[in-house]
Amino acid sequence: MGYDGEMDGCGQCIKYSMFVSNFIIFVGGLTVFGLGIWTVIDKGFVHELLGTNLFMGAVYIMIATGAIVALIAFFGYVGAIKEVKCMLLTYALFLFIVFVVMLVGGILGYVFREKVRHTMEQEMYSSIKLYNEKKLIRRAWDDTQEYLQCCGVTSYTDWRGNIPDSCCKELNGKKLQCKTFQTSLNIYTNGCLNVTEKYVKDHASLIGTAAIIVSGLMVFGLIFSLVLFKLIV
């Protein structure tokens, strides 16, 4: 399974180019995987307030494809160094499939970014009424208000006087009294809709951009693997 002598220089160039591209793809896959895990762990608290599964769906796609991309890149590296045509063809096939899936996931992130405000506003106004009835919704509101330092949908008045402790500001690590003294001095005055919208949009853009960049890198891996496949005798 060597190279035709006439194509030896070209073949070696393609081979080492594939090594480099696979290393970059491997790192890119791990990066997307890491971003996805980070989003689920650190940003999942807003899930109940989004009003759609599109964002988290895109995140889970990124986690799965990121891990698969890293594995496929390693598989392609072995196929290239061993010059095994079957492995190279299999690598190219799986790389193309994952390329399409990751590209779709990246696009979903951007699509969600454009519609986040409308869906989130509706869900926030609906869920705020269920704050005392559903544990998941109560936790989502409390985590969002404490983490993003906001209160209510557009302001603390959305709670109609029943302001939760998560709206209260902290001083030296202790919550201020805000149930009795409801003033701008001890209650977060920013509504959660605007700050959450910006927060989610920023992370959707980050994940979407990373996915699209890695998808573009996979094109090079696909090209190099197919050329190398043709060069191996």
Side-chain angles (χ1 to χ4, degrees), residues 114-212:
E114 298 305 316
K115 62 179 296 186
V116 59
R117 184 179 181 88
H118 177 69
T119 56
M120 187 180 293
E121 185 174 16
Q122 290 182 322
E123 187 64 21
M124 279 185 165
Y125 276 118
S126 298
S127 64
I128 200 171
K129 300 174 183 177
L130 303 174
Y131 177 84
N132 293 315
E133 300 176 20
K134 294 188 176 182
K135 185 178 179 180
L136 285 177
I137 290 178
R138 181 166 63 251
R139 182 177 177 181
W141 268 108
D142 287 342
D143 288 348
T144 299
Q145 291 179 146
E146 288 181 354
Y147 195 92
L148 299 181
Q149 298 185 351
C150 58
C151 187
V153 183
T154 56
S155 74
Y156 66 88
T157 58
D158 292 319
W159 288 106
R160 301 182 184 279
N162 299 314
I163 298 177
D165 291 337
S166 54
C167 278
C168 304
K169 294 180 180 179
E170 289 188 3
L171 181 63
N172 298 325
K174 294 183 179 180
K175 285 286 186 181
L176 296 175
Q177 293 294 319
C178 65
K179 287 185 177 294
T180 305
F181 304 102
Q182 297 176 3
T183 71
S184 59
L185 296 177
N186 49 26
I187 296 176
Y188 297 128
T189 55
N190 290 327
C192 291
L193 179 59
N194 289 334
V195 292
T196 307
E197 178 190 9
K198 182 180 184 303
Y199 185 81
V200 173
K201 277 187 174 183
D202 289 344
H203 288 87
S205 296
L206 180 62
I207 294 174
T209 300
I212 291 173

Side-chain angles (χ1 to χ4, degrees), residues 3-9:
Y3 290 100
D4 188 335
E6 189 177 358
M7 297 295 295
D8 186 67

Side-chain angles (χ1 to χ4, degrees), residues 51 54 75 103 108 225 227:
L54 188 58
F75 187 75
L103 188 61
L108 279 177
S225 64
V227 172

